[in-house]
Amino acid sequence: MQDGYREDRVILAHGAAQDRGVTSLLDDLVRRTTSRLGGGGGTVALLGDPAPVVHRDPLPPVEDVLARLVREPRTLLVEGDGPGTPDVLGTPLWWDDELLGACAFGGGGRFRDSDVAAVEGFAEQAAVAVMA
């Protein structure tokens, strides 16, 4: 255990996305994106599902970020509030004009502009996976 986070693991929720068989695809996308971001963790939450569809630790608490993304659906960077508190980067998942949910990544350090573009690209791929 590092900084109070659980060891790297995947929690799969029993929701609509799992019923459609996209959970493993989303997990792979989260794994590749966290690797691209230099570590940390990530999560995908869909509207209407009681728990994240995919959650890969270590990840700082992101519930507030996910809630803000639903209220204010735009890419959001929340800077850590002190040493040892990582930034969280999140973005909504859109399909045409329909908000599907949100994703958030953190725990890997500070984010660059290229990281924002990577997470927005992840969100596009995740939306296609969910709706396909």
Side-chain angles (χ1 to χ4, degrees), residues 10-11 14 27 43 45 48 51 57 80 91 115 121 123:
V10 178
I11 303 167
H14 299 285
D27 178 57
T43 190
D57 287 326
T91 194
D115 297 331

Side-chain angles (χ1 to χ4, degrees), residues 8-95:
D8 186 35
R9 64 190 176 100
V10 178
I11 303 167
L12 302 178
H14 299 285
Q18 194 172 26
D19 293 342
R20 292 192 306 272
V22 300
T23 304
S24 60
L25 177 59
L26 289 173
D27 178 57
D28 184 57
L29 286 169
V30 168
R31 182 186 50 76
R32 288 188 291 136
T33 302
T34 55
S35 175
R36 158 69 176 79
L37 296 174
T43 190
V44 176
L46 300 177
L47 295 178
D49 276 343
V53 175
V54 174
H55 187 102
R56 183 171 287 276
D57 287 326
L59 182 67
V62 295
E63 292 80 13
D64 290 342
V65 173
L66 292 172
R68 281 180 63 186
L69 286 166
V70 171
R71 288 191 316 270
E72 308 168 39
R74 60 182 174 80
T75 299
L76 183 64
L77 174 61
V78 178
E79 294 184 359
D81 58 3
T85 307
D87 293 352
V88 176
L89 176 60
T91 194
L93 279 76
W94 291 101
W95 184 258

